[in-house]
Amino acid sequence: NAGVMQNPRHLVRRRGQEARLRCSPMKGHSHVYWYRQLPEEGLKFMVYLQKENIIDESGMPKERFSAEFPKEGPSILRIQQVVRGDSAAYFCASSPVGAQRPHNEQFFGPGTRLTVL
Amino acid sequence: AQSVTQLGSHVSVSEGALVLLRCNYSSSVPPYLFWYVQYPNQGLQLLLKYTSAATLVKGINGFEAEFKKSETSFHLTKPSAHMSDAAEYFCAVTRGSGGSNYKLTFGKGTLLTVNP
């Protein structure tokens, strides 16, 4: 069973361009979480999605960032008009059931390293 | 709100020596606590977790951690380091009950180096 897949692994964008990060959850998992790790910081929660629904986006910046998890295909984290401060590692995790259940585990992908020039 | 502090961004030990990675947490409600390991070019893998049962938690690869409420600590230990333990280790916390307990809050990580 393949783990959580993220692509690209490394992404370079110039200021003002768009960045699209993809996350394919583990087979059978319908819950996806995105985290961001800024340089010298720990991972921070951004958003929690189920298929076709955003459950909690309280950690997402209010502007330029959006996330989706369509019925078919991977989850997408989209950053419009990137700025240098968006340079970070973006991690995706998935779980088979709602993570609000006790003891549930989130399985993490290898991350996408975004560099904004 | 929760927070995690990992003391020491880089720890170096000799093969066969004790591994001790420190984690202190802050939480206004009873927490769940986790240790994750990340090997180069891989995702974070769960090592062990504390979810309000036994305070001494055993995980994979010979690691264990003890929850000490009085010290707000959850330090990770392994009696004898192996070369394959070289990786980055993350401590994380979430609330143990109520809503939003899927929001993991991570420390900055500790890079463990094992010398032959």
Side-chain angles (χ1 to χ4, degrees):
Chain A
N1 188 10
V4 177
M5 308 290 285
Q6 290 188 249
N7 67 82
R9 296 293 307 280
H10 299 275
L11 181 61
V12 179
R13 286 286 178 268
R14 296 189 182 281
R15 282 178 296 169
Q17 291 184 319
E18 179 179 285
R20 280 183 180 243
L21 287 61
R22 295 174 184 78
C23 169
S24 297
M26 289 180 68
K27 187 177 181 181
H29 289 195
S30 58
H31 300 257
V32 165
Y33 316 82
W34 285 93
Y35 291 80
R36 177 168 68 172
Q37 184 181 29
L38 294 168
E40 310 299 321
E41 298 288 331
L43 282 75
K44 287 186 166 45
F45 170 83
M46 297 181 75
V47 62
Y48 166 28
L49 310 104
Q50 295 179 24
K51 286 282 188 181
E52 300 184 279
N53 286 304
I54 297 175
I55 306 303
D56 182 348
E57 57 182 349
S58 59
M60 288 269 277
K62 293 290 185 281
E63 297 179 351
R64 301 188 297 107
F65 284 72
S66 62
E68 63 177 9
F69 188 18
K71 186 177 180 181
E72 301 291 337
S75 175
I76 305 289
L77 180 67
R78 182 184 179 201
I79 311 172
Q80 295 178 290
Q81 299 175 337
V82 296
V83 301
R84 288 212 174 113
D86 297 333
S87 294
Y90 293 83
F91 290 90
C92 168
S94 72
S95 65
V97 295
Q100 287 169 311
R101 294 191 185 183
H103 316 299
N104 201 24
E105 179 181 347
Q106 296 177 31
F107 295 81
F108 283 81
T112 293
R113 269 73 178 173
L114 172 65
T115 301
V116 179
L117 301 178
Chain B
Q2 287 88 32
S3 67
V4 171
T5 301
Q6 291 185 241
L7 294 174
S9 60
H10 188 190
V11 170
S12 182
V13 301
S14 298
E15 192 174 17
L18 171 71
V19 175
L20 171 60
L21 304 182
R22 299 178 186 275
C23 172
N24 288 89
Y25 71 91
S26 172
S27 179
S28 56
V29 298
Y32 286 174
L33 292 153
F34 307 79
W35 275 100
Y36 285 85
V37 60
Q38 185 180 29
Y39 299 103
N41 297 314
Q42 296 185 27
L44 279 71
Q45 179 184 4
L46 183 65
L47 269 179
L48 50 78
K49 60 185 176 184
Y50 165 77
T51 54
S52 73
T55 56
L56 182 62
V57 181
K58 295 187 183 298
I60 60 172
N61 301 337
F63 284 93
E64 63 180 37
E66 186 172 7
F67 172 68
K68 291 188 177 180
K69 184 178 178 181
S70 61
E71 298 178 7
T72 61
S73 69
F74 190 58
H75 301 330
L76 182 70
T77 60
K78 181 174 180 178
S80 176
H82 192 273
M83 297 295 289
S84 61
D85 295 327
E88 188 153 23
Y89 293 79
F90 294 91
C91 181
V93 64
T94 188
R95 55 187 301 139
S97 61
S100 304
N101 64 350
Y102 45 80
K103 288 184 184 177
L104 294 169
T105 299
F106 286 83
K108 295 182 180 182
T110 298
L111 182 64
L112 175 66
T113 302
V114 181
N115 303 308

